[in-house]
Each structure stands twice: as structure tokens, then as C-alpha cells.
């Protein structure tokens, strides 16, 4: 697998945002989405005094990045876990607080490239889409068993698919003839269901449906909803968190958590804001930062990326 295809998105900017918190000896940085280890490797080499804890739910990703990070020895601890399990992982490792946290919420490039996972609409493969293939239900089961109304909701909410109703009625009609097992058949059904005009815009017409199924199968938004607040809580004062998201639902979630942390919770009209109402976070990005045109030209997977970062500026006051 050529490394050139796996250029980590907005890598330099992520490192620069985290840098002030990771210079001190013994600083701990968590890569919540290890994938092929591109961000992790860069963190270890740029911050020679730091220790890395990296999480992934995909055993194959852990194996491959384990080989890649082997030269860093004891400085890298790789853990098979979903990122909302961060508090338990840190607890097990006896790490009270961390100085940096990075999330890259793009699907691991490896999973998109692995035909037999059924993530990619570009090639025919079994409809699985589970990032951890040892647990949970597959995309085929979702398609074959969910009621039509639920499928429409998923396609609209997670795929922002305007033609959800059309697609779902075609899916329901087809699954009665024969259950879905492969991504190729699903792509065909979607193509046939869409009006001409809808096929002319925005890349592969199946893209949004596949995204919606992937989010549903892996519980991604529910996991993220727990994970980002947990990561903020794990940060030491002065610690920094950077999150790369790839569609508006993820970005909105991150924005809400950061905005809530950066707001004062004082009742209006207090002449002086007491400590317990002061903001916990300082925002480090103005809104969401976007990749540069050069970066998108080099790495098309960077196109939809949105980067937000924040710094922990005080303790929670109980």
C-alpha cells in the first residue's frame, strides 16, 4: 500500500495547533483515530519528549500502524478501543490527564481501499462497513431489516440525501425480491432510482447513501457525542484538542461542545463573574479552518475537511 496515498489531512496545521502543549518532557498526546498511523508518526517525531496513546477499533489498522510505529518503542501505546472509551483507556494506563488530543474523523483510507469491507461505492464488495468486524450489525443487515421510515431518516440525517424517499422505496422493493449482500447491487438500485438531474451533480450518486449507512453501522455520531466531551475533560489545564471532521453533522457537534466550553455560564448581569462560571475552553480556530487549495489538489480526501481546535484554560469547578 503506497504511503503517498495516505497523506494525513491538514497535518502541519494540526501539529502547529497542538505544539505549545506538547513540548514538555512527559507530555501525553492521544490520537483517538489511529488509522494507518500517519498523524501518530508525525506527533512522535515532531515532539520527541512526548508519549503517545493511540486508539482504533479496527484490529487490522492497529496491526499495520503497530509496524509503522515500532521504531518509537515504549513511547507509543496502541489500544484496541472506540474513541468514546477514552476515559477507561486512560484509567487502565494510569494516566490522570493528557496534554493533547487529536481526532481525525475521516474514514481510515485503508478501509476505503480495502475492497472486502464494502465501504467503497467504486467497487463491488460485500456490504459490511463495520470498522470493527468482530462486533455489531453490517450494512447489509441495516438495509435488509430496517423499516422504510427508519431508512429514510438515516439517509436524510446522516447522508443529507434529498432523494432519500425515492432511494428507500427502490431498496424496499428490491430487498423483497432478494436481500442485499453486495455494494455493487446497491449502487445500481440507487442509480436507477434517481431522476436524471440528481445524477448530474456532486460525484457518485451513491456517495451520500454509503456515508449514511457507515455512520449508522458504526454508531459514529453517538460515539462522537460522548467522545469529544470526554476528551475535553481528560485535558490538563493548558492542554489542547484538535478535531478534523468531514461532514456538517460531525462539525456541528464539535462546534457545540467547544462553544459550550468557551462560554460563561454565569447568570446575566453579574458585575464580576465568579470562578465557577468562567469559560473552561479557549477557541484556537476562528470557526472551522479549511484545507488550502494546494492541499486539496494533492489529496482529494482533504476537500471536505473542517478543523477546529481549543485549549483547556481552567479546571472544572465542582
Amino acid at each position: 500500500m503506497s504511503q503517498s496515498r495516505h497523506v494525513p489531512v491538514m497535518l502541519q496545521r494540526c501539529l502547529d495547533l497542538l505544539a505549545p502543549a506538547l513540548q514538555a518532557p512527559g507530555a501525553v498526546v492521544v490520537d483517538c483515530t489511529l488509522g494507518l498511523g500517519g498523524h501518530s508518526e508525525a506527533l512522535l517525531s515532531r515532539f520527541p519528549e512526548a508519549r503517545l496513546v493511540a486508539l482504533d477499533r479496527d484490529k487490522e489498522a492497529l496491526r499495520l500502524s503497530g509496524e509503522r510505529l515500532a521504531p518509537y518503542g515504549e513511547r507509543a501505546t496502541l489500544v484496541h478501543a472506540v474513541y468514546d472509551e477514552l476515559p477507561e483507556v486512560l484509567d487502565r494506563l494510569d494516566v490522570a490527564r493528557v496534554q493533547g488530543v487529536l481526532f481525525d474523523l475521516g474514514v481510515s483510507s485503508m478501509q476505503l481501499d480495502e475492497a472486502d469491507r464494502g465501504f467503497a461505492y467504486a467497487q463491488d464488495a460485500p456490504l459490511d462497513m463495520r470498522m470493527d468486524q468482530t462486533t455489531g450489525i453490517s450494512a447489509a443487515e441495516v438495509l435488509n431489516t430496517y423499516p422504510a421510515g427508519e431508512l429514510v431518516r438515516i439517509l436524510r440525517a446522516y447522508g443529507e440525501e434529498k432523494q432519500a424517499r425515492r432511494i428507500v422505496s427502490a431498496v424496499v422493493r428490491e430487498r423483497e425480491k432478494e436481500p442485499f449482500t453486495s455494494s455493487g447491487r446497491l449502487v445500481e438500485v440507487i442509480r436507477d432510482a434517481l431522476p436524471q438531474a440528481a445524477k448530474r451533480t456532486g460525484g457518485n450518486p451513491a456517495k451520500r447513501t454509503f456515508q449514511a449507512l457507515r455512520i449508522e453501522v458504526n454508531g459514529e455520531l453517538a460515539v462522537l457525542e460522548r467522545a469529544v466531551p470526554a476528551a475535553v475533560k481528560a485535558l490538563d489545564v493548558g492542554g489542547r484538542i484538535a478535531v478534523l471532521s468531514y461532514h456538517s453533522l460531525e462539525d456541528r457537534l464539535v462546534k457545540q461542545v467547544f462553544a459550550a466550553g468557551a462560554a460563561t455560564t454565569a447568570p446575566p448581569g453579574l458585575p464580576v463573574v465568579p470562578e465557577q462560571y468562567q469559560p473552561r475552553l479557549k477557541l484556537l480556530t476562528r470557526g472551522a479552518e479549511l484545507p488550502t487549495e494546494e492541499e486539496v489538489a494533492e489529496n482529494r480526501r482533504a476537500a471536505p475537511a473542517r478543523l477546529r481546535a481549543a485549549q483547556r484554560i481552567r479546571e472544572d469547578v465542582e
Side-chain angles (χ1 to χ4, degrees), residues 10-301:
M10 294 178 85
L11 176 61
Q12 212 38 59
R13 187 65 184 126
C14 289
L15 295 175
D16 292 347
L17 283 163
L18 294 172
L22 298 179
Q23 310 291 0
V28 176
V29 60
V30 182
D31 183 346
C32 287
T33 44
L34 173 65
L36 284 174
H39 281 113
S40 278
E41 185 175 38
L43 287 163
L44 286 162
S45 75
R46 171 138 172 208
F47 307 111
E49 302 282 356
R51 181 182 153 204
L52 170 90
V53 175
L55 280 49
D56 208 294
R57 57 165 76 177
D58 186 327
K59 288 193 161 157
E60 183 60 6
L62 287 163
R63 188 184 66 76
L64 290 167
S65 48
E67 290 168 11
R68 180 174 186 170
L69 302 177
Y72 296 95
E74 296 289 287
R75 289 179 55 213
T77 307
L78 311 189
V79 185
H80 182 233
V82 183
Y83 42 71
D84 64 340
E85 298 172 80
L86 178 64
E88 294 79 32
V89 169
L90 294 177
D91 212 29
R92 278 206 308 272
L93 296 173
D94 235 5
V95 174
R97 286 299 184 86
V98 303
Q99 285 64 49
V101 179
L102 175 65
F103 284 89
D104 177 359
L105 301 171
V107 192
S108 151
S109 311
M110 176 184 76
Q111 291 160 339
L112 288 174
D113 291 340
E114 259 192 26
D116 62 359
R117 294 288 190 96
F119 279 100
Y121 34 82
Q123 54 216 104
D124 193 17
L127 267 175
D128 190 320
M129 296 198 196
R130 286 171 303 170
M131 291 191 196
D132 179 352
Q133 292 192 292
T134 60
T135 177
I137 68 168
S138 69
E141 285 174 79
V142 170
L143 270 185
N144 294 326
T145 63
Y146 277 30
E150 187 61 1
L151 285 175
V152 169
R153 184 191 68 77
I154 289 166
L155 261 57
R156 282 199 181 135
Y158 301 161
E160 300 175 87
E161 174 54 81
K162 294 184 178 66
Q163 306 288 338
R165 206 168 278 289
R166 271 178 190 235
I167 291 171
V168 169
S169 24
V171 163
V172 170
R173 211 170 39 243
E174 285 297 315
R175 77 185 184 186
E176 280 165 9
K177 297 179 197 162
E178 192 192 333
F180 282 89
T181 55
S182 76
S183 57
R185 180 168 166 230
L186 177 58
V187 172
E188 265 172 53
V189 168
I190 294 169
R191 269 216 176 92
D192 294 344
L194 292 179
Q196 275 314 113
K199 293 184 214 183
R200 281 197 289 272
T201 53
N204 191 307
K207 183 168 137 187
R208 289 180 293 277
T209 299
F210 273 66
Q211 171 181 298
L213 286 170
R214 191 198 86 214
I215 290 173
E216 172 65 17
V217 164
N218 295 293
E220 286 172 46
L221 286 170
V223 168
L224 190 61
E225 227 163 321
R226 294 187 294 270
V228 179
V232 168
K233 212 173 165 56
L235 279 181
D236 217 350
V237 172
R240 290 172 166 230
I241 176 171
V243 185
L244 274 167
S245 37
Y246 293 78
H247 60 80
S248 56
L249 296 161
E250 291 173 340
D251 183 51
R252 194 178 313 146
L253 225 155
V254 176
K255 178 185 177 178
Q256 285 163 351
V257 175
F258 285 6
T264 165
T265 53
L270 291 186
V272 175
V273 176
E275 181 65 22
Q276 73 260 35
Y277 300 128
Q278 297 275 7
R280 306 280 167 267
L281 292 179
K282 177 175 107 189
L283 302 180
L284 300 172
T285 46
R286 294 189 56 173
E289 289 188 8
L290 310 179
T292 61
E293 283 173 27
E294 294 77 35
E295 184 171 8
V296 174
E298 265 171 50
N299 180 8
R300 60 186 173 74
R301 287 187 183 146

